[in-house]
Amino acid sequence: MFRLIGVLWFALLGANSALAHPHIWVDAQYQAVVDSPVVESLNATWSWDLFTSVSLLEAYDDNGDGQFTGNERTELLEGLQNLKKDDYFVHLKVAGKAIKPKSVTITDFGMKNKMLWLTLKVRLAEPVNLEKTTLSMAFGDPEYYFAMVPLEEGLLRLSGALAESCTPVDHDAKEQGIETWIDLSCQS
């Protein structure tokens, strides 16, 4: 854990928002499977910038194989848990009202093309019926130490039987540290 603090100390201890600017860039995307209009969870993926990824690899890859294995995975995962206090920068709204997720957990992570990636499971506090209300999603670090950037293909990827009847609409955010919101609703 001390290694992660050494590599990301400023992010984990907090930044002065008046002086903040991003030091870590993360490409982020939500994935929603809409086999029914009621959504209870979302998945998300992150891909960390090359500099941060290589720094973490140097700090944790004790055997030098370019991957996180065994105890290396355990130690990095423990360090990444520090981001849990901020719900991994997940922001949600239902019908325009901010909600807190029931839980956000890391389900997997690793290295690909020298970039650290991770997947998250976001469980909603209450199921959301997308035919009756809008679910809005964003990623953002209000301290702006992490720049959470939507993938070029968009902040949300839909799949499932009802994906064609659902409409994602993105719009610029007004909140500091959030670049884009995406609103999701479905036709009956």
Side-chain angles (χ1 to χ4, degrees):
M1 182 158 128
F2 291 111
R3 287 188 256 187
L4 184 66
I5 292 172
V7 175
L8 303 173
W9 69 272
F10 199 66
L12 301 178
L13 296 175
N16 180 338
S17 59
L19 301 174
H21 60 283
H23 293 278
I24 298 170
W25 283 261
V26 177
D27 292 335
Q29 184 181 58
Y30 286 99
Q31 296 88 38
V33 178
V34 283
D35 285 326
S36 85
V38 177
V39 175
E40 296 181 14
S41 65
L42 304 163
N43 295 314
T45 56
W46 286 11
S47 180
W48 296 51
D49 68 83
L50 182 62
F51 179 78
T52 303
S53 297
V54 170
S55 296
L56 288 168
L57 192 61
E58 288 176 359
Y60 286 92
D61 184 20
D62 294 333
N63 64 7
D65 68 352
Q67 297 295 321
F68 299 110
T69 56
N71 198 42
E72 300 164 350
R73 282 184 69 80
T74 302
E75 289 181 7
L76 179 57
L77 183 59
E78 286 174 9
L80 291 171
Q81 296 297 318
N82 288 309
L83 299 173
K84 190 173 190 159
K85 67 179 175 24
D86 295 313
D87 291 322
Y88 297 94
F89 308 125
V90 167
H91 296 272
L92 302 169
K93 294 180 183 178
V94 174
K97 182 181 176 189
I99 64 164
K100 186 167 175 57
K102 180 177 184 177
S103 65
V104 182
T105 55
I106 296 174
T107 57
D108 200 8
F109 65 94
M111 294 293 287
K112 184 177 180 181
N113 299 327
K114 298 184 182 178
M115 308 284 271
L116 174 65
W117 59 268
L118 62 88
T119 57
L120 300 166
K121 180 69 147 190
V122 180
R123 288 186 169 74
L124 305 178
E126 300 283 332
V128 176
N129 186 331
L130 297 173
E131 291 179 342
K132 296 181 180 180
T133 192
T134 300
L135 174 63
S136 302
M137 298 157 265
F139 284 107
D141 173 11
E143 301 293 336
Y144 204 51
Y145 190 79
F146 284 76
M148 306 299 292
V149 182
L151 289 181
E152 190 172 311
E153 69 185 61
L155 183 62
L156 175 64
R157 188 178 74 221
L158 290 175
S159 63
L162 300 179
E164 295 295 320
S165 67
C166 297
T167 306
V169 177
D170 64 328
H171 55 90
D172 292 337
K174 297 176 185 163
E175 302 88 348
Q176 179 173 325
I178 297 177
E179 185 174 317
T180 301
W181 281 93
I182 190 130
D183 300 333
L184 180 61
S185 59
C186 299
Q187 302 277 329
S188 49

